[in-house]
Amino acid sequence: MLYRSTRGKASGFTFEEAVMTGLASDGGLFIPNEIPKLPADFLTTWKDYTFSELSLQVLSLFISESEIPRSDLKRIIDASYSTFTNKDITPLVQIDKEKDLWILELFHGPTFAFKDVALQFLGNLFEFFLKRKNSSRKSPTDPLHRLTIVGATSGDTGGAAIYGLKGKENVSVFIMHPNNRVSPIQKAQMTTVLDANIHNIAIEGTFDDCQDIVKALFGREDFRVKHSLGAINSINWARILAQTVYYFQAYFTLVRAGHVDPKIVFFTPTGNFGDILAGYYAAKLGLPVSRLVVSTNSNDIIYRFFKTGFYQKGAAGVLATPSPAMDILVSSNFERFCWYLAYQCEATGKTEQERIDQAGHIITKWMDDLKTTGKFQVSPASLEMARKELDSGTTSDEDTYQTINEYYSVSDSSTKVKYLLDPHTAVGVHLSDIMRSELASDLGYSNYTSVCLSTAHPSKFVEAVEHSLKPDFPEFDINPLLPEQFVGIFNKTQRCEYLPNDIDAVAKFIESKVDY
Ligand SMILES: *Cc1c(COP(=O)(O)O)cnc(C)c1O
């Protein structure tokens, strides 16, 4: 399996190249040359597979055996999920029997955010590729291959990346976060990791300032090459791939729970469009999925796209909501979805190659339009296809708080089960409620199963949870619900460098810490 760029100029990349570089040299994102085929009998043969077994099957479709031998891939996958505290890795919990509503808990990894599912895998993948390169050096005195990861975080990505990469040989990690603008628990999660290869930098500025510094450092060609800069943000193809697995896992868990031929509507809390894109690929592979619902908060650029066909930045800029991991102006992974629209609905060429080239041109134009005018528009045919593939809804702050309260307030006689939702998950749960009749008329049946992806443990977002519950539960105390790892975290030693919003200061710090 080879990969190409969504902008069309670059193609023929191996999986290793796609993973190690992250972004194609023409500025596009890597996509697989084709969508592979599932085995004809996968619905029966995969039914009782564990998460890791499923992962091996799905990932093998996208990674050539000649690139990573299956036994190595298995080892990487097993190691990646051995750090999860739930035996099912991503368990499914029913919270409303009447509505057949389930929560897919993706937060049982080391940092209690769904990003662990992908970043635990990515860290082990980096390590595997580096080790292999280094063991094939001609002479032991040749310089070692290394990787310097430079990333920015508004909270969750940094922690998950640090836990995915701590202690990895020949990898140095520099994560910038905006000083005083991540939650105390998120900061402590990152800065209490004291491994020598981990470096936290608090920047006097905003998240956008941090991201600008990352981009500027990647833009310094000398610096990028000298230090082999690498990226861990959500456009990395390996992250998308790793996340397709839990859509399969949810399907088979329902089958084992007695659902014959389950008809599933997935609700996916969406920011950078990585998690929902993984569901899109799962469906394209052939997993039976009734609907995928892009669930946004009031930063609703994707929702507005599905209404209008315009992909347009909000005039007000990024809005602060109770679900901060979804507070985005534009969704970087959306470009991949757009490629399929351009290829199928906008390209007019007769041959496959002509259509691929045209799709690349169209994406380049759309992305240029977005940059220069703040928006782009797709054709009616593309919009129609987009709506066939995905649905979308948006949830206000008030409804987010109210939904958390509703599921915590459940009484014993209810068909619901008492459950504490995190605010990101609540965005999807609210939509699963208000979109019921619309979805039923769309699908032509109402006896479907709703699966809401739960992207974080509620204790990571205590403020929003308390705000939701305090009026009715003045005694509410998060402490008994805290995962063990959070207990006493504020008393642990923290290590963090405080730097001004200045590229040179960051570059200098990085040079002083890498010993090569
Ligand atoms: C990153 C994140 C999201 C958004 O996921 P995308 O793949 O960027 O759409 C949602 N919820 C939480 C808790 C997150 O950390």
Side-chain angles (χ1 to χ4, degrees):
M1 171 69 79
L2 292 174
Y3 291 82
R4 72 165 59 92
S5 161
T6 48
R7 311 241 174 133
K9 292 195 193 70
S11 70
F13 298 99
T14 63
F15 177 72
E16 179 171 355
E17 286 166 332
V19 170
M20 295 307 264
T21 49
L23 192 72
S25 53
D26 59 9
L29 310 191
F30 293 107
I31 50 171
N33 271 0
E34 72 251 18
I35 303 295
K37 287 234 169 347
L38 295 172
D41 57 355
F42 82 99
L43 284 178
T44 43
T45 48
W46 293 9
K47 186 177 141 265
D48 295 314
Y49 281 6
T50 62
F51 184 95
S52 291
E53 287 167 342
L54 280 176
S55 182
L56 182 62
Q57 295 301 323
V58 175
L59 271 51
S60 293
L61 300 169
F62 290 91
I63 307 169
S64 305
E65 166 105 57
S66 57
E67 266 203 76
I68 307 182
R70 292 298 168 251
S71 56
D72 288 325
L73 185 58
K74 180 175 185 317
R75 212 172 23 75
I76 295 169
I77 289 169
D78 288 347
S80 302
Y81 300 111
S82 68
T83 56
F84 280 59
T85 54
N86 187 290
K87 68 171 176 24
D88 296 329
I89 312 300
T90 56
L92 203 53
V93 180
Q94 192 177 37
I95 63 166
D96 191 330
K97 294 194 184 77
E98 195 176 285
K99 292 183 180 156
D100 201 20
L101 168 62
W102 302 68
I103 299 291
L104 179 58
E105 295 184 344
L106 305 177
F107 53 73
H108 294 283
T111 72
F112 308 95
F114 91 97
K115 292 183 171 72
D116 289 325
V117 177
L119 281 162
Q120 286 290 302
F121 174 67
L122 187 63
N124 288 316
L125 208 52
F126 280 155
E127 184 179 50
F128 171 80
F129 286 138
L130 282 176
K131 265 201 181 129
R132 186 163 70 182
K133 276 193 193 169
N134 283 327
S135 65
S136 63
R137 282 176 308 151
K138 294 210 177 57
S139 143
T141 54
D142 286 351
L144 282 165
H145 293 275
R146 300 174 191 264
L147 198 56
T148 306
I149 297 293
V150 181
T153 186
S154 58
D156 270 1
T157 304
I162 286 168
Y163 274 83
L165 292 163
K166 72 192 176 91
K168 298 275 184 258
E169 252 178 71
N170 299 316
V171 182
S172 299
V173 182
F174 296 85
I175 300 291
M176 280 171 261
H177 68 262
N179 196 24
N180 295 325
R181 288 176 202 242
V182 299
S183 82
I185 198 102
Q186 286 175 325
K187 174 154 187 160
Q189 264 190 315
M190 295 191 282
T191 58
T192 55
V193 176
L194 302 177
D195 297 63
N197 72 327
I198 300 297
H199 308 279
N200 281 286
I201 307 172
I203 296 288
E204 264 333 312
T206 63
F207 169 63
D208 286 325
D209 293 328
C210 297
Q211 237 175 353
D212 287 345
I213 295 175
V214 173
K215 281 186 200 148
L217 291 173
F218 273 83
R220 289 185 177 180
E221 190 63 11
D222 291 354
F223 190 84
R224 190 177 64 77
V225 173
K226 181 176 172 200
H227 297 296
S228 309
L229 293 196
I232 38 76
N233 46 16
S234 73
I235 54 168
N236 195 302
W237 170 250
R239 288 185 60 176
I240 309 292
L241 190 52
Q243 292 168 24
T244 56
V245 177
Y246 44 70
Y247 288 90
F248 284 86
Q249 155 103 336
Y251 181 91
F252 290 116
T253 305
L254 286 170
V255 171
R256 291 194 298 270
H259 287 61
V260 181
D261 183 19
K263 299 182 174 47
I264 310 177
V265 178
F266 286 100
F267 295 84
T268 307
T270 296
N272 257 330
F273 208 77
D275 209 359
I276 188 79
L277 188 75
Y280 174 68
Y281 276 108
K284 274 182 95 69
L285 279 168
L287 179 72
V289 171
S290 293
R291 244 18 210 140
L292 291 159
V293 181
V294 183
S295 307
T296 77
N297 63 24
S298 38
N299 295 289
D300 59 352
I301 181 167
I302 301 283
Y303 171 74
R304 286 182 284 112
F305 171 82
F306 280 93
K307 285 273 168 254
T308 63
F310 274 100
Y311 188 71
Q312 179 164 23
K313 291 180 189 175
V318 184
L319 306 170
T321 73
S323 43
M326 293 150 65
D327 291 349
I328 45 95
L329 201 53
V330 297
S331 299
S332 39
N333 270 301
F334 192 56
E335 181 169 339
R336 284 190 166 108
F337 179 69
C338 288
W339 189 89
Y340 293 96
L341 302 182
Y343 169 73
Q344 254 163 281
C345 303
E346 315 262 346
T348 52
K350 289 201 184 55
T351 67
E352 171 80 0
Q353 192 55 49
E354 276 170 13
R355 294 164 68 85
I356 288 169
D357 291 344
Q358 286 171 343
H361 283 128
I362 292 160
I363 292 294
T364 307
K365 176 167 186 316
W366 284 349
M367 294 305 145
D368 284 347
D369 287 352
L370 182 65
K371 210 180 216 165
T372 52
T373 68
K375 64 170 186 278
F376 67 80
Q377 184 183 20
V378 304
S379 69
S382 279
L383 181 58
E384 196 187 322
M385 174 180 153
R387 286 177 177 158
K388 266 201 202 115
E389 307 273 11
L390 301 173
D391 219 321
S392 182
T394 176
T395 296
S396 69
D397 294 0
E398 227 12 80
D399 287 334
T400 304
Y401 292 131
Q402 196 271 329
T403 304
I404 294 172
N405 189 304
E406 181 187 334
Y407 280 87
Y408 191 75
S409 313
V410 165
S411 68
D412 287 347
S413 58
S414 167
T415 58
K416 288 188 188 139
V417 178
K418 181 170 173 170
Y419 192 92
L420 185 61
L421 295 163
D422 110 285
H424 304 78
T425 311
V427 165
V429 172
H430 174 69
L431 292 176
S432 78
D433 194 24
I434 61 163
M435 289 175 73
R436 283 193 81 74
S437 59
E438 178 191 332
L439 281 162
S441 83
D442 228 34
L443 295 168
Y445 47 84
S446 56
N447 61 335
Y448 61 81
T449 303
S450 297
V451 172
C452 296
L453 276 65
S454 178
T455 49
H457 190 281
S459 63
K460 284 196 89 169
F461 299 94
V462 189
E463 275 177 34
V465 169
E466 285 180 347
H467 181 94
S468 312
L469 301 183
K470 275 278 144 86
D472 295 332
F473 304 91
E475 308 289 302
F476 176 79
D477 176 14
I478 193 85
N479 281 310
L481 306 170
L482 280 187
E484 212 179 296
Q485 287 89 329
F486 286 173
V487 177
I489 193 168
F490 295 115
N491 302 327
K492 290 189 182 158
T493 308
Q494 300 199 14
R495 197 181 70 224
C496 183
E497 184 76 9
Y498 294 83
L499 292 178
N501 176 15
D502 175 47
I503 302 150
D504 290 322
V506 176
K508 205 170 134 202
F509 176 70
I510 293 174
E511 301 239 78
S512 77
K513 289 294 170 187
V514 290
D515 49 2
Y516 41 91

